[in-house]
């Protein structure tokens, strides 16, 4: 008989009572008896039944002459004849122990004891089966509860994972839009870089005018050069013998049309020399002027006109 899992040890009870277990199984079951009170109590009842089993069967008559032959070999022929004479007077059942007649009738009380023990064993067996069923039912309930917990946990994890995937998709979408904007900016920067590195086109000079001082005490003079190319209209103003600047003073250039000055830029002089380059929309301006301003932040002329010149139309 092969070994079995510990949870089936209770099923070995009947085989152990009948002496049918192998030696290693017997050792294992005897250890199980120290842990299981139900099996210990049932084993006691089973042993009572096993001890009464020989008395529960009908006796088989001894062959004629066999009893005399056996007793003769043990006690001698004379003793056997004496016993035979005593049996004629009805004293056979008075023989002690092992010499009593094996053909005696089984008492009804013995049969009742066997029947009672059998009924008790049957009740114990049913109790064991009921307990096993209850255990299996409890294991099944616990297993179902554990499985339900696992399913709920997986559902919660799946929900959280789905939310995480949604957030990642939104982040990926935002990253894609940012990448698209960056590519657009890089493309524009590349175009600007190409334009910067492109050889300069020749400027077409429209006119050159001389800038003259408007005050008798000033000896300043200069030039204004107007030129055009594909990028627009450009003006270069050069001046010399300019008044010395003090503190935050600066020179500003104005394009004038209908007595409305437009700020074309600001420059500072060094050793009385200064220049400025600016680009503006091509319009028919009336004149250009350079003023000495108290600072470089004026939107309208506030200081003294140093140089001026009219523009050809």
């Amino acid at each position: 008989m092969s070994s079995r899992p510990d949870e089936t040890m209770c099923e070995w009870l009947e085989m152990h009572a009948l002496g049918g277990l192998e030696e290693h199984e017997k050792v294992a079951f005897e250890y199980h008896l120290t842990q299981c009170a139900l099996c210990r109590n049932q084993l006691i009842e089973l042993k009572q039944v096993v001890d009464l089993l020989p008395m529960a069967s009908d006796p088989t008559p001894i062959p004629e002459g066999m009893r005399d032959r056996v007793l003769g070999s043990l006690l001698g022929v004379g003793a056997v004849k004496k016993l035979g004479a005593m049996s004629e007077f009805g004293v056979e059942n008075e023989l002690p122990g092992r010499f009593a007649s094996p053909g005696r009738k089984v008492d009804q009380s013995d049969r009742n004891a066997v029947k009672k023990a059998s009924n008790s064993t049957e009740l114990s067996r049913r109790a064991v089966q009921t307990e096993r069923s209850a255990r299996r039912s409890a294991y099944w309930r616990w297993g179902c509860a554990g499985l339900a917990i696992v399913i709920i946990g997986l559902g919660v994890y799946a929900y959280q994972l789905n939310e995480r995937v949604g957030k990642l998709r939104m982040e990926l979408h935002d990253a894609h839009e940012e990448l698209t904007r960056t590519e657009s900016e890089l493309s524009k920067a590349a175009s600007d870089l190409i334009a910067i590195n492109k050889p300069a086109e020749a400027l077409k000079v429209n006119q050159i005018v001389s800038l003259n001082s408007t005050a008798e005490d000033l000896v300043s003079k200069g030039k204004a050069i107007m030129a055009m190319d594909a990028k627009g209209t450009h003006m270069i103003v050069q001046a010399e013998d300019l008044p010395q600047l003090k503190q935050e003073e600066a020179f500003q250039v104005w394009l004038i049309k209908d007595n409305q000055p437009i700020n074309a830029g600001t420059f500072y002089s060094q050793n009385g020399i200064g220049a400025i380059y600016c680009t503006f929309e091509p319009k028919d301006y009336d004149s250009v002027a350079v003023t000495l301003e108290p600072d470089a932040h004026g939107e309208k002329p506030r200081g003294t006109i140093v140089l001026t010149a009219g523009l050809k139309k």
Side-chain angles (χ1 to χ4, degrees):
M1 184 177 294
S2 60
S3 60
R4 305 179 187 178
D6 293 340
E7 59 189 21
T8 62
M9 279 291 180
C10 293
E11 298 179 0
W12 294 11
L13 180 62
E14 291 80 2
M15 292 296 294
H16 179 74
L18 296 174
L21 295 179
E22 296 180 3
E23 186 62 29
H24 68 280
E25 292 177 333
K26 180 179 179 181
V27 172
F29 186 78
E30 288 177 352
Y31 175 76
H32 171 71
L33 288 176
T34 63
Q35 307 295 324
C36 183
L38 184 63
C39 287
R40 289 197 302 270
N41 295 333
Q42 189 175 4
L43 180 61
I44 295 173
E45 298 175 355
L46 283 177
K47 284 186 177 181
Q48 294 176 355
V49 174
V50 171
D51 293 341
L52 292 174
L53 284 178
M55 302 178 65
S57 60
D58 294 332
T60 302
I62 299 176
E64 184 177 355
M66 182 178 179
R67 179 168 177 269
D68 294 340
R69 289 194 300 271
V70 174
L71 294 178
S73 63
L74 295 176
L75 304 177
V77 177
V80 172
K81 290 181 179 180
K82 182 178 178 181
L83 291 174
M86 294 175 63
S87 63
E88 292 178 357
F89 293 99
V91 294
E92 182 178 6
N93 288 333
E94 295 181 1
L95 289 176
R98 59 177 179 171
F99 302 116
S101 174
R104 67 183 179 86
K105 298 292 182 179
V106 177
D107 190 81
Q108 184 62 33
S109 61
D110 293 337
R111 294 183 181 274
N112 293 336
V114 172
K115 184 176 181 180
K116 181 178 180 181
S118 299
N119 293 336
S120 177
T121 303
E122 179 64 20
L123 292 176
S124 299
R125 185 182 66 82
R126 292 180 180 178
V128 170
Q129 291 179 347
T130 302
E131 182 179 358
R132 291 174 185 170
S133 299
R135 289 180 181 176
R136 293 192 187 98
S137 179
Y139 294 154
W140 175 253
R141 289 195 299 271
W142 281 107
C144 291
L147 182 60
I149 293 174
V150 171
I151 293 174
I152 293 174
L154 290 176
V156 173
Y157 175 73
Y159 176 76
Q160 294 177 345
L161 184 62
N162 187 43
E163 283 191 341
R164 180 60 178 167
V165 170
K167 292 180 179 178
L168 290 177
R169 287 178 178 173
M170 293 180 62
E171 293 175 1
L172 181 61
H173 178 71
D174 295 340
H176 179 71
E177 289 186 348
E178 183 66 23
L179 179 61
T180 301
R181 287 194 297 268
T182 303
E183 289 178 349
S184 178
E185 293 175 358
L186 289 176
S187 178
K188 183 179 179 181
S191 299
D192 295 341
L193 183 61
I194 292 173
I196 292 173
N197 294 330
K198 185 178 180 180
E201 298 179 357
L203 292 175
K204 181 181 179 181
V205 177
N206 289 346
Q207 59 178 313
I208 300 175
V209 297
S210 297
L211 299 174
N212 299 313
S213 175
T214 58
E216 294 180 358
D217 57 341
L218 294 177
V219 293
S220 303
K221 58 183 179 292
K223 289 183 180 181
I225 302 172
M226 302 292 183
M228 296 183 62
D229 62 7
K231 296 180 180 179
T233 301
H234 312 279
M235 180 177 66
I236 301 174
V237 175
Q238 295 177 332
E240 57 186 20
D241 298 329
L242 293 169
Q244 185 70 28
L245 295 176
K246 300 176 183 179
Q247 296 181 354
E248 296 183 358
E249 290 182 337
F251 294 102
Q252 286 187 308
V253 179
W254 307 91
L255 291 169
I256 302 170
K257 182 177 179 61
D258 298 332
N259 294 324
Q260 296 296 324
I262 303 299
N263 191 346
T266 302
F267 69 94
Y268 298 92
S269 63
Q270 185 175 5
N271 298 326
I273 299 173
I276 186 173
Y277 170 85
C278 61
T279 300
F280 54 90
E281 295 180 2
K283 292 183 179 180
D284 295 332
Y285 292 100
D286 300 329
S287 61
V288 59
V290 178
T291 61
L292 177 60
E293 299 292 337
D295 55 54
H297 309 298
E299 296 181 358
K300 298 292 182 181
R302 295 167 294 166
T304 304
I305 297 177
V306 178
L307 299 171
T308 184
L311 299 175
K312 298 178 182 180
K313 297 183 179 179

